[in-house]
Amino acid sequence: MKTVSPFTWRVGLGVMASLIMPFAHQAVAPNSAIAAEDPAVSWSVAPAGADGPDDRAWVEQSLDPGETRTEHLAVRNLGESEVTFALSAADGYFTDTGRFNMLHATTPSTSAGLWIDLPESVTVPASGTVVVPYTVTVPERAVPGDYAAGVAASITSVGSGDGATIGIESRVGFRVLTRVVGELQPALAIVDASSEYRVAWNPFLPGLLSASFTLENTGNTRLAVTGQVAAAGGASAFTASDEVIELLPGERREVKVELDDVWPLVLVPTSVETTVQVADASGGWRSAPDAAESATLSTWAPPWPQLTVLLALALITAALVARRRRDRRAVADLVERAREEGRREAWTEAPPSTRADSDEGAGVAVVSPTGRATGVKS
């Protein structure tokens, strides 16, 4: 099977997706099928006016409930043979990586994808461009707010193997953003916020603090969110300096931010701060401080390595003090034993007369036969 190579031309941030779908002995619609042995096909899809492609990367419009607007898309065949492309529209969404996409053909749309009416297919000659009109009709009871859909031109490459027919559908298109006019209520929520601390077992190095949370667009407008996580004097942004987290109404995005220079202070105050912008009618962004949200956490950061070092130092100090005391007592005992030994040796080696003289100063009473002391011999 040869590879189908979609080529993007003036699409900007348009939709590009390759979807693998098995067709177990089922025929593929002939108007969109390319045989496996055919040469690779390249094409592009871009917003257009009635006369041809314009300078837009995607379509952005404001419509009242019940209003219908006609738009155009241009399909350009960059190959060397005529190709029939299938045309489709579906609800749009932002992926976890921030890219815009449209629902798989097997997933039914429930919102703006149903508002778009366009032909089922278009045949484009080699190296040619065909402009196709389509309409966007907002239901009468549509709730005000922002809605996203995508339109695309696709082909299906057909091959077979292991007894089954395989189709690879390749789509190229762009987003169609519709704002239903009415009261706008931008709002952001931070949910499921948590944090944890990873100890650096080297007591002379700081540890790693990671914060995880989910940003949820709880309003009815498209939001662009930036922000940071701050802890222990350090801070880290959600995204790169030139990026934002774009959320459609009802969408959620999981975010994880790491700070790698945080010292364990038992409980580390951790804050999540956001800055919110709202898409305006001109296709730009305006600040929406009232929609911003913040969260405060306390991260448990026990200083186990430092406590271990302190405990070891305390044990070493206590051992040294105890040893010094034992040494002092031992020296004192040695000195006392030496003195006692010296006195014993001096007594033993002295002559008897010297030992008698040693009694000088001691009074001895002389008792008469009558029992009275009659004198003292000194």
Side-chain angles (χ1 to χ4, degrees), residues 56 60 87 106 146 238 247 251 253 267 278 294 307 361 363 372:
R56 293 176 296 174
E60 227 170 308
L87 301 178
T106 59
D146 291 339
F238 297 173
L247 295 172
E251 286 189 336
R253 185 75 52 80
L267 284 178
V278 179
S294 62
L307 290 176
R372 291 184 300 170

Side-chain angles (χ1 to χ4, degrees), residues 4 12 16 68 73 77 114 152 154 217 225-226 258 291 308 335 341:
V4 179
M16 181 180 291
T68 298
L73 60 88
N77 180 3
L114 300 175
S154 63
N217 185 343
V225 184
T226 57
E258 295 185 341
T308 301
V335 171
E341 186 67 25

